[in-house]
Amino acid sequence: MATGATGTAGLPAAARGVLPGGVLPGGAAPRGWVLRDRGDRLSLRVDGRGVLVCLGLVVAIGVISVLTLTTGDYHLSVREVVDSLLGHGSSGTDFIVRTLRLPRLVAGLLVGAALAVSGAIFQTMTANPLGSPDVIGFTAGSATGAVIVILVLHGSVYETSFGAIAGGVLTAIAIYLLSFRRGVAGPRLILIGIGVASMLTALNYYLIARATLGDAITAQTWLLGSLSRRSWEQVRPLVFAVIVLLPAALYLSRRLSMLAMGADTARALGVSVESSRLALLGVGAALASCATAAAGPIGFVALAAPQLARHLARSAGAALLPAALLGALLVVASDLVAQRAFAPSQLPVGVATNAVGGLYLVWLLARQRRRI
């Protein structure tokens, strides 16, 4: 499902997704249909299979959300949850639903969507399934910023979140500058990112080893990735960030699709390659940093969700909207399992997503082996 919507009047026909005569490059007929405004300034290509995949993911998210809000130590009916959301519930129900469960659910949805879209951007830019922010160092940079605030500056929760965002953005800038050689090539970006991530991970463990026991436990718990005890004060900044960054990513998705065809082809279609890469890198790094700041470094979502979304939608492009929905579903479903599977004990959501990621890697390796 194509989700980009940008100006098209000044671009050649191929840049609008079709060649003269109404066919895709290579002679294939375009799937779905194209929505345009009367002046042909904006267009949106809608793929039927992508729409069905998105609808299915929305239904699955709805089911998981209902289970999250109704089950737990205090079981609630659907009607009690709805009354509470509408402001007609009892004080006890309001506390359980609107203070304890709903902020955690919203945080999980937004964190999953942000990580998945960030992963889709970097995997498409680098033309490599390993090009996700948790592999190429951006989430490691966020983790380092948070660990420094926790262990060195002894900051508050909000200062830790700010440190995570600052660490992720500074790491993204450093990786971009180190990778720049008359442009940024995907393999170079990945290799340098992996090296930077290794050094930052070593720094994190060094700081933890030198810290007091209490501070070390706090830092290590944060590094596992958790949605526990999330409040609206912590969720609201993430809401604002996603409201700004996710539409920006969707707006840039057309340029991202053109960059996936190669730098020379993108230039021929009128795309400013380096400025587009820089804009996409900034949006992707900001999404990963904000998600990490809100919940810690939750692994494998940015790696697996974009690939699975493309597989489900059978899309050759980034499939940002299906990826966002699938990332949200993976995080909230993993968090539900982490809360309920070992009750009354609760696992951090990062433990569950790592387990899902391990299964994904096994599936990916088996799939690649069948192709050989």
Side-chain angles (χ1 to χ4, degrees):
M1 177 179 179
T3 55
T6 60
T8 61
L11 293 176
R16 296 199 300 268
V18 295
L19 295 174
V23 298
L24 292 172
R31 296 192 308 170
W33 58 93
V34 177
L35 304 178
R36 292 191 179 95
D37 68 346
R38 292 184 178 180
D40 199 24
R41 294 183 299 271
L42 297 173
S43 69
L44 178 69
R45 183 172 62 84
V46 180
D47 174 63
R49 182 182 176 89
V51 171
L52 292 177
V53 168
C54 288
L55 290 176
L57 291 172
V58 169
V59 171
I61 289 172
V63 172
I64 296 297
S65 298
V66 170
L67 290 174
T68 299
L69 294 176
T70 57
T71 60
D73 293 337
Y74 297 94
H75 182 78
L76 301 173
S77 66
V78 175
R79 180 165 184 173
E80 287 176 314
V81 171
V82 172
D83 288 341
S84 178
L85 294 177
L86 295 177
H88 305 308
S90 64
S91 58
T93 303
D94 287 346
F95 177 75
I96 294 172
V97 174
R98 297 163 63 178
T99 303
L100 297 181
R101 295 178 182 174
L102 187 59
R104 181 169 185 162
L105 173 64
V106 173
L109 292 171
L110 296 178
V111 166
L115 288 175
V117 171
S118 178
I121 288 173
F122 289 118
Q123 287 175 357
T124 305
M125 281 181 60
T126 60
N128 192 314
L130 293 178
S132 65
D134 47 353
V135 173
I136 58 179
F138 299 143
T139 54
S142 295
T144 299
V147 168
I148 289 175
V149 172
I150 293 172
L151 300 182
V152 178
L153 303 179
H154 304 287
S156 64
V157 172
Y158 301 104
E159 291 169 340
T160 300
S161 299
F162 177 78
I165 295 173
V169 171
L170 291 175
T171 301
I173 293 172
I175 293 174
Y176 178 82
L177 294 176
L178 291 171
S179 305
F180 192 89
R181 294 292 185 277
R182 291 177 296 183
V184 176
R188 187 186 306 122
L189 181 70
I190 291 176
L191 290 174
I192 291 177
I194 290 174
V196 171
S198 298
M199 291 188 292
L200 291 174
T201 301
L203 176 60
N204 294 341
Y205 286 122
Y206 171 78
L207 293 174
I208 290 174
R210 301 282 296 180
T212 62
L213 180 59
D215 288 344
I217 292 174
T218 300
Q220 187 60 49
T221 302
W222 190 90
L223 288 174
L224 289 174
S226 176
L227 295 171
S228 178
R229 299 179 181 177
R230 290 301 177 268
S231 65
W232 288 115
E233 286 73 17
Q234 296 168 287
V235 173
R236 286 192 190 100
L238 179 61
V239 172
F240 295 141
V242 171
I243 287 175
V244 173
L245 294 171
L246 193 55
L250 296 174
Y251 179 82
L252 293 169
S253 63
R254 183 180 295 275
R255 298 187 192 180
L256 182 62
S257 298
M258 295 180 191
L259 289 174
M261 295 186 288
D264 292 338
T265 302
R267 289 191 185 94
L269 295 174
V271 176
S272 177
V273 172
E274 288 309 319
S275 62
S276 297
R277 282 175 175 167
L278 185 59
L280 287 163
L281 186 143
V283 171
L287 282 168
S289 299
C290 291
T292 306
I298 297 177
F300 280 107
V301 175
L303 178 68
Q307 295 292 320
L308 294 174
R310 278 195 287 268
H311 178 73
L312 290 173
R314 295 181 184 173
S315 172
L320 294 186
L321 187 55
L325 293 172
L326 185 56
L329 176 62
L330 285 176
V331 171
V332 295
S334 298
D335 189 48
L336 179 63
V337 172
Q339 291 182 70
R340 308 290 187 257
F342 302 97
S345 300
Q346 293 189 13
L347 294 176
V349 65
V351 175
T353 58
N354 283 328
V356 173
L359 294 175
Y360 164 74
L361 287 178
V362 171
W363 170 81
L364 184 62
L365 290 172
R367 188 165 175 256
Q368 292 296 329
R369 184 178 179 181
R370 287 195 298 268
R371 289 182 175 180
I372 297 176

